[in-house]
Amino acid sequence: MARKAAGRPPKETLSLWTREQARLKACVVDRDTEAWQGDPAFSGLQRVGGVDVSFVKGDSVSACASLVVLSYPELKVVYEESRMVSLTAPYVSGFLAFREVPFLADAVRRLQAKEPGLMPQVILVDGNGVLHHRGFGVACHLGVLTGLPCIGVAKKLLHVDGLENNALHKEKIQLLQAGGDSFPLTGSSGTVLGMALRSHDRSTKPLYISVGHKMGLETAVRLTHRCCRFRIPEPVRQADIRSREHIRRTLELPGPPAPGQERNQKVQRPKSCPEGVSVEPTSEARPPAHRSQGARTDLKAPKPASQEQQGKAGRRVELDTVKMQRPPATQLRPRDHDRL
């Protein structure tokens, strides 16, 4: 049964969270701290982590927290953990970390206890770092609690310090011609809060990269681009895939069809068609115009059958097309939109 978290917390709780963010923000290190970060090829970097939290549709309490570790530069998954959790804090814009980070930090600690040799040297986080209303997003929070370098990777621009997805911003995006191109996100205060990155040649939508902890912005942008086989960096993408699949398995939800399944699966034809009945496929079921119609059987004007043909029982009529049954949508809830 779907559950709902409590409503907006009282002012006292929000005030407590604000003070906690300010206290932890003082611990953020926004410069490179590891030897491998200064190497153009990231020599010495062997393991990159990614974290993600996926939600169940219609249920604001049940979620799946996932941690993956990939080899670098191969980007092969060498460790994964996905675990169903019950969220205790409601979603409040600007305070996402208090809802998700405790479960992600616990996953990192379990890895440290079980397989210390597989600990990531950096974690890419689906959310913002210093690009945040109070300069302390979920990537900063996780970095400070775990002591690991972290990078904030957001899919949408957070409107903060005068940053807006306006016409000028869209013009700058158009100037990003190839994967790796970027431009700074400079707020009204003059502070560079992050970078807009075209992560892949075939992706026109940028990612918004910001410092989480123990890494400079330029290094964070370069490493994020190196981790991208598609638009989303592979550590975050794999964490998302595995957390959603864990929800499907746990709740026994139908998954998406495998590639090519729609084309390869057998479709069931009707056993018989009454003589003289015209069968006209619907607009959805009509075959595309470019397909050959040579094998088509016209049922509008059936020819009189011979006596021998009439004696053949159970003869089936080939229809032009059969409407494919679409698989039911997976019941996964959309992500919290700004991933603060």
Side-chain angles (χ1 to χ4, degrees):
M1 182 177 179
R3 296 173 293 170
K4 292 187 177 181
R8 187 177 179 85
K11 291 183 179 180
E12 293 77 9
T13 300
L14 295 179
S15 178
L16 177 63
W17 287 353
T18 302
R19 292 195 300 271
E20 182 69 0
Q21 283 183 332
R23 183 182 71 84
L24 294 176
K25 179 182 176 181
C27 302
V28 171
V29 178
D30 60 359
R31 64 182 184 278
D32 291 346
T33 58
E34 310 298 321
W36 58 264
Q37 295 170 344
D39 188 279
F42 295 118
S43 178
L45 177 61
Q46 297 178 328
R47 297 173 305 281
V48 293
V51 292
D52 181 79
V53 177
S54 291
F55 303 90
V56 179
K57 184 176 181 180
D59 189 333
S60 58
V61 174
S62 298
C64 178
S66 181
L67 165 68
V68 298
V69 180
L70 281 65
S71 61
Y72 186 88
E74 299 84 4
L75 300 179
K76 302 294 184 182
V77 176
V78 297
Y79 173 87
E80 66 173 289
E81 181 197 87
S82 296
R83 180 174 294 201
M84 296 299 296
V85 298
S86 294
L87 304 172
T88 56
Y91 170 72
V92 181
S93 178
F95 296 100
L96 177 66
F98 293 96
R99 179 171 169 83
E100 298 184 2
V101 164
F103 303 106
L104 301 176
D106 285 346
V108 173
R109 295 186 189 104
R110 285 191 294 270
L111 171 57
Q112 175 69 55
K114 293 187 299 183
E115 298 282 354
L118 294 179
M119 281 289 288
Q121 295 163 274
V122 58
I123 298 178
L124 279 69
V125 182
D126 180 16
N128 290 297
V130 298
L131 178 56
H132 181 267
H133 300 291
R134 288 171 294 280
F136 192 75
V138 63
C140 298
H141 207 128
L142 181 63
V144 171
L145 291 188
T146 61
L148 295 172
C150 284
I151 302 172
V153 182
K155 295 183 284 292
K156 294 183 180 180
L157 176 65
L158 179 64
H159 293 187
V160 58
D161 194 17
L163 293 175
E164 292 184 22
N165 190 15
N166 52 22
L168 177 59
H169 183 78
K170 292 175 181 177
E171 287 178 9
K172 292 181 179 179
I173 292 175
Q174 294 300 318
L175 297 176
L176 302 177
Q177 297 298 311
D181 289 354
S182 62
F183 63 83
L185 300 170
T186 306
S188 299
S189 64
T191 303
V192 176
L193 300 174
M195 298 280 282
L197 168 70
R198 180 166 179 168
S199 57
H200 198 278
D201 289 340
R202 294 190 296 272
S203 176
T204 57
K205 294 182 179 180
L207 296 175
Y208 297 98
I209 312 302
S210 56
V211 170
H213 187 48
K214 289 188 174 182
M215 185 176 292
L217 179 58
E218 187 271 338
T219 304
V221 171
R222 281 196 304 119
L223 181 56
T224 300
H225 179 232
R226 292 284 186 90
C227 289
C228 288
R229 290 176 172 168
F230 305 96
R231 180 194 177 213
I232 306 301
E234 201 65 10
V236 174
R237 195 177 80 89
Q238 289 297 328
D240 176 69
I241 290 172
R242 291 161 199 277
S243 63
R244 290 171 179 267
E245 180 59 30
H246 186 78
I247 289 178
R248 293 187 186 103
R249 291 197 309 266
T250 301
L251 302 183
E252 297 182 349
L253 297 173
Q261 181 177 336
E262 297 90 344
R263 297 188 300 273
N264 297 332
Q265 66 180 350
K266 276 192 172 183
V267 293
Q268 186 176 3
R269 295 186 173 93
K271 293 183 177 180
S272 62
C273 179
E275 184 176 353
V277 175
S278 173
V279 178
E280 180 69 16
T282 65
S283 59
E284 291 185 0
R286 287 191 181 98
H290 67 274
R291 292 188 181 176
S292 172
Q293 302 297 315
R296 181 172 178 175
T297 302
D298 190 354
L299 300 182
K300 289 186 176 181
K303 295 180 180 180
S306 66
Q307 185 174 2
E308 178 183 357
Q309 290 172 328
Q310 291 177 354
K312 292 182 179 181
R315 181 174 182 179
R316 296 180 181 178
V317 178
E318 291 289 338
L319 299 180
D320 292 8
T321 57
V322 178
K323 186 176 180 181
M324 302 283 288
Q325 181 178 1
R326 297 180 180 176
T330 303
Q331 299 298 306
L332 294 177
R333 205 183 76 186
R335 310 299 303 267
D336 290 325
H337 68 283
D338 51 358
R339 310 295 301 167
L340 302 179

